[in-house]
Every structure is written in structure tokens, then in C-alpha cells.
Amino acid sequence: MALSDLELLLDVAELGSFSQAAAKRGWSQPQVSQRISLLEQQWDVRLFTRHRRGAVATNACQAFLAAARQSLTAYRQGLEAMQGTPSVPRIRLSCLPSLTSPVFGPLLMKLADAPMEIRCGTDHSQQIMQDLLTGQVEVGFVLKCPAMAGIQMELLWRSPIVAVVAAHHPLADCRTPLALADLARHRIAPQFWGDECESLIQQIRMLRQLPSPIHAVQPASAARELVLRHRFVSFMPELSIKADLQDGTLVRLCLPELPAWHWEVMMAWRAGKRVDAAKTLVLDAARALADG
């Protein structure tokens, strides 16, 4: 028996699916099914009850899982000690590039002294969801997207789309409500957030006196750079520039006719019956961050 067999058993038991365990490894579903069948023959015991929607660990399998986890933990701790790496849990987080500043920075500050090591990466929402499913990432922060079997999702922020300029922009000193027509003569570069952004661009284009381009950019850092250094007006999720608005680097414009558009940020993680202390700390810290 190989250690990979223990990992396979745990994955199938936690995911409740041969196909999801296969996806995590880049295997085919028949490969997983064949390997589990060989283990059942070797041990002369039924490990999983198969059904149309997945697989459920039998009582015999459940009795073995605790020992399997202990064996894998002991092996990994011994390997880390031999390699001189910390014997603390390591957890991988992923978010949209536009969320790195409002999420990763504050979250790592909250968890700076927690007994874990954190690895952070960025990607688009659909890839993050796939990485969660295959075990490449433990916790992801994505825009609202269709639910995926085996992945739990929780709304953290519903951030309004706001019009902003740099503090030195001529519109920054305007004390009265503005109309879209007042912005139309300025350089404009919204942070692209979806079909609603294209609708906004069309509205502004119709108000322009002379034909001139309207740029839509990603990520938030690109839109922010255009606003701060090149006197652009931008429309951005408030969450992605929260710190800039608080310290006055960017100024939010009063634009009553702007529709109530929002950016919905979800926290996502793979469902499982086994309690993961490091993951629980991250989930709780993110919830506290959103509540604050």
C-alpha cells in the first residue's frame, strides 16, 4: 500500500465522489474506481457504497480514516523536519487580482501570529473555483458565480460601484451632485466589472460632444494608476479602493443618476467532514474583516 492510497481514501471520503477525487489528481474516474476496488480486494472489505450522486464511506472505511489521517500527518511532519521546514500547517489562498489590497493585506495582518503559514495567489473566479475543487487552493475570494458541487460559498461584501477621481482632479472640489454629462468631457477608464460596465460606457459615449475613447481596464491597480497619475475619472467597486477613499487620496463623486450597481464578493472553500483548524481560522478572520 502507498501513501497515495491513504490520500485517495481520504479525498473520496471527504468529497463523496470518485470523479472529484479523480479531478484533484488529473486522473480519470475509472482509474480511481479501479484503485479503490483493488484496495477492497486486498483488504477483503467494502470501503464505499456507490450511488448515482457519488460515494459514501462504509462503517469499516470510517473506522480506518482516523488512522489514515494520523499516518499522513506523521509522514508529512517527519518530511518537513528532515527538510528543515516549519511543522505548522500551510494554507493556500487565492483571490481576484483586484482584491489583493482589500483582502490579502488585512487578512494576513489578522493572522500574523496564527500557527500557520499562508501562501497567496491570484486568478479569475472560475479558475479559483476549479482550484478549490482539485485541492490546489483551500480558501478563495471570488465574484458571485454559479454554485459548484462540493464547494461552499458565503457572501462577504456587496460593494457599490462608485465614481472616483484623484484629490487633485478639478471635479474633486465639486460640492454639488454631478450628472454623467459633467463627467463626459473628461478622460474616463472604468474598472471593468461586467456587462453593467459596458452599459455605463454606452451611456457616457452618447453624452460626449466629441468622439474619444473610453477605456475599461483590469485589475483595480490599473484603473487606480490612471486615476492617480493621469487625471482619469473611473468607476470602481468601493471595496477595491477603500483605503484610498479613507485617506483622501481618491475622492468619491456624488452622482445621483448612477444606478445602484454592486460587486458581490464571495468566500469559497471545499466542503468536507473533517475539521481543518487552519482553514477555520482563515474563514473566521475573513468574516471579521467583512463585518468591520
Side-chain angles (χ1 to χ4, degrees):
M1 180 183 182
L3 287 169
S4 59
D5 292 327
L6 297 182
E7 293 174 334
L8 180 62
L9 279 176
L10 291 170
D11 285 340
V12 174
E14 291 177 5
L15 295 170
S17 167
F18 282 18
S19 59
Q20 289 187 32
K24 181 175 179 179
R25 287 167 169 68
W27 291 7
S28 67
Q29 189 272 344
Q31 284 178 296
V32 171
S33 181
Q34 182 182 36
R35 188 60 195 164
I36 294 296
S37 294
L38 287 172
L39 291 174
E40 289 177 330
Q41 293 173 22
Q42 180 180 337
W43 295 339
D44 192 25
V45 65
R46 190 169 183 80
L47 296 170
F48 294 96
T49 301
R50 285 81 160 166
H51 55 83
R52 286 190 308 168
R53 300 180 64 182
V56 178
T58 63
N59 290 337
C61 182
Q62 290 286 358
F64 179 70
L65 292 180
R69 291 190 188 100
Q70 290 172 4
S71 298
L72 280 173
T73 298
Y75 167 75
R76 289 167 180 161
Q77 288 177 345
L79 187 62
E80 289 175 347
M82 180 175 65
Q83 295 173 338
T85 55
S87 59
V88 295
R90 180 176 294 171
I91 189 164
R92 293 154 297 185
L93 314 181
S94 188
C95 77
L96 300 170
S98 292
L99 283 173
T100 53
S101 177
V103 173
F104 280 164
L107 192 58
L108 265 65
M109 284 302 299
K110 281 184 173 290
L111 297 168
D113 298 319
M116 70 176 84
E117 285 192 346
I118 299 174
R119 299 291 184 267
C120 298
T122 61
D123 219 317
H124 58 85
S125 294
Q126 289 301 322
Q127 185 58 52
I128 292 173
M129 294 292 284
Q130 188 62 38
D131 289 344
L132 288 166
L133 188 62
T134 58
Q136 301 300 309
V137 168
E138 277 75 44
V139 181
F141 301 90
V142 301
L143 293 186
K144 188 175 183 179
C145 56
M148 184 179 290
I151 301 296
Q152 293 187 1
M153 301 187 71
E154 180 179 324
L155 178 65
L156 284 186
W157 290 282
R158 193 167 184 266
S159 178
I161 304 299
V162 298
V164 296
V165 293
H168 58 269
H169 193 281
L171 292 175
D173 295 327
C174 186
R175 303 301 177 200
T176 58
L178 296 167
L180 274 178
D182 298 320
L183 278 59
R185 63 179 179 273
H186 295 274
R187 291 178 173 178
I188 295 176
Q191 176 189 334
F192 185 77
W193 74 91
D195 292 341
E196 293 166 342
C197 183
E198 291 292 353
S199 174
L200 171 65
I201 289 172
Q202 292 299 326
Q203 291 180 50
I204 297 173
R205 186 173 286 125
M206 293 174 64
L207 295 168
R208 286 217 192 252
Q209 302 264 330
L210 296 172
S212 56
I214 299 175
H215 309 287
V217 299
Q218 277 282 25
S221 57
R224 180 179 180 273
E225 182 77 5
L226 290 172
V227 172
L228 286 175
R229 301 191 182 279
H230 304 289
R231 298 170 69 90
F232 275 76
V233 178
S234 189
F235 295 79
M236 308 176 69
E238 187 178 48
L239 176 65
S240 64
I241 48 171
K242 184 177 179 181
D244 291 316
L245 292 172
Q246 289 175 341
D247 65 22
T249 304
L250 297 181
V251 175
R252 177 176 177 173
L253 302 178
C254 180
L255 201 66
E257 66 182 278
L258 188 66
W261 288 321
H262 291 84
W263 208 41
E264 294 190 341
V265 178
M266 314 289 291
M267 178 166 64
W269 66 97
R270 197 175 71 181
K273 296 179 180 179
R274 181 167 60 94
V275 175
D276 184 323
K279 184 189 294 185
T280 299
L281 282 173
V282 171
L283 298 178
D284 289 344
R287 292 180 184 117
L289 184 63
D291 290 341

